[in-house]
Amino acid sequence: MRRVAPDFQRARRPEQVEARRAAILGAARELLAERPVSRISLRELSDRVGLAKSNVLRYFDSREAIFLEVLDSIWVAWLDELEGELGAPDAAKPGYEREVRVATVIAKSLSRQRLLCELISTMAAVLERNISVETARAFKTRAGERTERLADVVRDRVPLEAEAAGHFAKAVFILVAGLWPYANPGEAVATVLAERGAPAGHDMFVDALTEGLANQLVGLVVRAGQSPGR
């Protein structure tokens, strides 16, 4: 559905620019609720917000830059939720129960973040390809901050050095990027997998992500020379 903008004059004051950017991002979120990012064109996004493509590009340098902005905002919201889901730090427990619990909570939390996972899975191959150096610099700076925040959240609950926690935080997004497309195949592949008795995509994603993150976290603790339950 095409929105009709109240006027098509270029926004000049800072608050006008922010309002126009917010409208574009809102339209992008609406479309993402309807279909994958790969099926959303700049023209369709422009029509939804009620602006010409050239006007949209006054506020973002490309279609991809818009969705990177959406990704960043969802990333922050997820980190806010995750801290509450993880709860207070656990006391030392036998074996690596603490590490497995943290990995499990993170995996299940991400499985409920469909849009975040979808955008992460397209980030390197699609969303970071058609952007300016300025946009790339800004996004990578913020991505680094989000990754550091996740590392800090994990370090609050698992005794790791900063470098090891940072490695784990990066691994979270690498695993999501790889697993999400396999857990959400096209219709033909989904049919064949069902015929072969493969687990449902959601279950496969949660199980594989949990296993991968648990192995990463336990492995990092072992390499740090810590004994179980420390």
Side-chain angles (χ1 to χ4, degrees), residues 19 31 51 73 76 88 105 107 120 127 131 136 144 163 207-208:
L31 288 167
L51 293 172
S73 64
V76 172
V105 171
I120 288 173
L127 298 183
I131 55 176
E163 183 177 359
D207 292 346

PDB file of all heavy atoms in Angstrom, residues 19 31 51 73 76 88 105 107 120 127 131 136 144 163 207-208:
ATOM      1  N   ALA A  19      12.801  12.723  11.237  1.00  0.00           N
ATOM      2  CA  ALA A  19      11.433  12.257  11.027  1.00  0.00           C
ATOM      3  C   ALA A  19      11.308  11.516   9.702  1.00  0.00           C
ATOM      4  O   ALA A  19      10.641  10.476   9.618  1.00  0.00           O
ATOM      5  CB  ALA A  19      10.462  13.434  11.070  1.00  0.00           C
ATOM      6  N   LEU A  31       7.602  -3.871   5.652  1.00  0.00           N
ATOM      7  CA  LEU A  31       7.830  -4.788   4.536  1.00  0.00           C
ATOM      8  C   LEU A  31       8.539  -6.051   4.997  1.00  0.00           C
ATOM      9  O   LEU A  31       8.254  -7.145   4.505  1.00  0.00           O
ATOM     10  CB  LEU A  31       8.631  -4.081   3.444  1.00  0.00           C
ATOM     11  CG  LEU A  31       7.850  -3.026   2.655  1.00  0.00           C
ATOM     12  CD1 LEU A  31       8.790  -2.160   1.828  1.00  0.00           C
ATOM     13  CD2 LEU A  31       6.812  -3.698   1.748  1.00  0.00           C
ATOM     14  N   LEU A  51       7.509   8.231  -1.209  1.00  0.00           N
ATOM     15  CA  LEU A  51       8.537   9.102  -1.754  1.00  0.00           C
ATOM     16  C   LEU A  51       9.097   8.494  -3.033  1.00  0.00           C
ATOM     17  O   LEU A  51       9.035   7.286  -3.241  1.00  0.00           O
ATOM     18  CB  LEU A  51       9.693   9.272  -0.751  1.00  0.00           C
ATOM     19  CG  LEU A  51       9.400  10.018   0.551  1.00  0.00           C
ATOM     20  CD1 LEU A  51      10.597   9.906   1.478  1.00  0.00           C
ATOM     21  CD2 LEU A  51       9.065  11.472   0.292  1.00  0.00           C
ATOM     22  N   SER A  73      19.209  -1.487  14.982  1.00  0.00           N
ATOM     23  CA  SER A  73      18.223  -1.182  16.023  1.00  0.00           C
ATOM     24  C   SER A  73      17.671  -2.467  16.645  1.00  0.00           C
ATOM     25  O   SER A  73      17.447  -2.532  17.864  1.00  0.00           O
ATOM     26  CB  SER A  73      17.085  -0.335  15.446  1.00  0.00           C
ATOM     27  OG  SER A  73      16.359  -1.044  14.469  1.00  0.00           O
ATOM     28  N   VAL A  76      20.315  -4.003  19.065  1.00  0.00           N
ATOM     29  CA  VAL A  76      20.327  -3.349  20.379  1.00  0.00           C
ATOM     30  C   VAL A  76      19.158  -3.830  21.230  1.00  0.00           C
ATOM     31  O   VAL A  76      19.316  -4.140  22.428  1.00  0.00           O
ATOM     32  CB  VAL A  76      20.283  -1.819  20.225  1.00  0.00           C
ATOM     33  CG1 VAL A  76      20.089  -1.144  21.582  1.00  0.00           C
ATOM     34  CG2 VAL A  76      21.558  -1.307  19.561  1.00  0.00           C
ATOM     35  N   ALA A  88      20.636 -13.205  36.744  1.00  0.00           N
ATOM     36  CA  ALA A  88      21.833 -12.937  37.538  1.00  0.00           C
ATOM     37  C   ALA A  88      22.891 -14.003  37.265  1.00  0.00           C
ATOM     38  O   ALA A  88      22.572 -15.128  36.885  1.00  0.00           O
ATOM     39  CB  ALA A  88      21.469 -12.920  39.020  1.00  0.00           C
ATOM     40  N   VAL A 105      20.494 -20.397  26.688  1.00  0.00           N
ATOM     41  CA  VAL A 105      19.642 -19.210  26.774  1.00  0.00           C
ATOM     42  C   VAL A 105      19.851 -18.313  25.558  1.00  0.00           C
ATOM     43  O   VAL A 105      18.890 -17.802  24.969  1.00  0.00           O
ATOM     44  CB  VAL A 105      19.914 -18.429  28.074  1.00  0.00           C
ATOM     45  CG1 VAL A 105      19.193 -17.080  28.051  1.00  0.00           C
ATOM     46  CG2 VAL A 105      19.465 -19.237  29.279  1.00  0.00           C
ATOM     47  N   ALA A 107      20.935 -19.181  22.549  1.00  0.00           N
ATOM     48  CA  ALA A 107      20.400 -19.841  21.351  1.00  0.00           C
ATOM     49  C   ALA A 107      18.874 -19.738  21.298  1.00  0.00           C
ATOM     50  O   ALA A 107      18.297 -19.419  20.248  1.00  0.00           O
ATOM     51  CB  ALA A 107      20.834 -21.301  21.320  1.00  0.00           C
ATOM     52  N   ILE A 120      21.021 -10.861   9.888  1.00  0.00           N
ATOM     53  CA  ILE A 120      22.393 -11.311  10.118  1.00  0.00           C
ATOM     54  C   ILE A 120      22.834 -12.250   9.014  1.00  0.00           C
ATOM     55  O   ILE A 120      23.960 -12.181   8.516  1.00  0.00           O
ATOM     56  CB  ILE A 120      22.517 -11.997  11.494  1.00  0.00           C
ATOM     57  CG1 ILE A 120      22.425 -10.963  12.622  1.00  0.00           C
ATOM     58  CG2 ILE A 120      23.836 -12.769  11.604  1.00  0.00           C
ATOM     59  CD1 ILE A 120      22.363 -11.571  14.008  1.00  0.00           C
ATOM     60  N   LEU A 127      23.830  -7.202   2.403  1.00  0.00           N
ATOM     61  CA  LEU A 127      23.606  -5.863   2.935  1.00  0.00           C
ATOM     62  C   LEU A 127      24.864  -5.004   3.003  1.00  0.00           C
ATOM     63  O   LEU A 127      24.776  -3.782   3.005  1.00  0.00           O
ATOM     64  CB  LEU A 127      22.965  -5.945   4.325  1.00  0.00           C
ATOM     65  CG  LEU A 127      21.590  -6.622   4.381  1.00  0.00           C
ATOM     66  CD1 LEU A 127      21.032  -6.561   5.798  1.00  0.00           C
ATOM     67  CD2 LEU A 127      20.617  -5.982   3.400  1.00  0.00           C
ATOM     68  N   ILE A 131      27.035  -0.300  -0.413  1.00  0.00           N
ATOM     69  CA  ILE A 131      26.989   0.826   0.521  1.00  0.00           C
ATOM     70  C   ILE A 131      28.252   1.671   0.357  1.00  0.00           C
ATOM     71  O   ILE A 131      29.262   1.213  -0.167  1.00  0.00           O
ATOM     72  CB  ILE A 131      26.870   0.345   1.985  1.00  0.00           C
ATOM     73  CG1 ILE A 131      28.008  -0.623   2.337  1.00  0.00           C
ATOM     74  CG2 ILE A 131      25.506  -0.290   2.237  1.00  0.00           C
ATOM     75  CD1 ILE A 131      28.028  -1.066   3.784  1.00  0.00           C
ATOM     76  N   ALA A 136      29.576   2.104   5.599  1.00  0.00           N
ATOM     77  CA  ALA A 136      30.292   0.922   6.078  1.00  0.00           C
ATOM     78  C   ALA A 136      31.033   1.226   7.377  1.00  0.00           C
ATOM     79  O   ALA A 136      31.012   0.434   8.329  1.00  0.00           O
ATOM     80  CB  ALA A 136      31.272   0.446   5.010  1.00  0.00           C
ATOM     81  N   GLY A 144      30.787  -3.326  16.070  1.00  0.00           N
ATOM     82  CA  GLY A 144      31.822  -3.626  17.047  1.00  0.00           C
ATOM     83  C   GLY A 144      31.355  -3.352  18.462  1.00  0.00           C
ATOM     84  O   GLY A 144      31.640  -4.127  19.392  1.00  0.00           O
ATOM     85  N   GLU A 163      39.457 -11.093  25.434  1.00  0.00           N
ATOM     86  CA  GLU A 163      39.689 -11.594  24.075  1.00  0.00           C
ATOM     87  C   GLU A 163      38.874 -12.848  23.798  1.00  0.00           C
ATOM     88  O   GLU A 163      38.270 -12.994  22.727  1.00  0.00           O
ATOM     89  CB  GLU A 163      41.177 -11.889  23.867  1.00  0.00           C
ATOM     90  CG  GLU A 163      41.509 -12.348  22.458  1.00  0.00           C
ATOM     91  CD  GLU A 163      42.992 -12.572  22.258  1.00  0.00           C
ATOM     92  OE1 GLU A 163      43.770 -12.347  23.207  1.00  0.00           O
ATOM     93  OE2 GLU A 163      43.373 -12.974  21.138  1.00  0.00           O
ATOM     94  N   ASP A 207      18.615 -26.483  18.099  1.00  0.00           N
ATOM     95  CA  ASP A 207      19.507 -27.558  18.540  1.00  0.00           C
ATOM     96  C   ASP A 207      20.942 -27.332  18.049  1.00  0.00           C
ATOM     97  O   ASP A 207      21.898 -27.475  18.817  1.00  0.00           O
ATOM     98  CB  ASP A 207      18.993 -28.912  18.024  1.00  0.00           C
ATOM     99  CG  ASP A 207      17.687 -29.329  18.679  1.00  0.00           C
ATOM    100  OD1 ASP A 207      17.318 -28.727  19.704  1.00  0.00           O
ATOM    101  OD2 ASP A 207      17.039 -30.258  18.163  1.00  0.00           O
ATOM    102  N   ALA A 208      21.086 -26.981  16.774  1.00  0.00           N
ATOM    103  CA  ALA A 208      22.426 -26.793  16.212  1.00  0.00           C
ATOM    104  C   ALA A 208      23.108 -25.572  16.808  1.00  0.00           C
ATOM    105  O   ALA A 208      24.315 -25.592  17.093  1.00  0.00           O
ATOM    106  CB  ALA A 208      22.348 -26.674  14.691  1.00  0.00           C
TER     107      ALA A 208
END
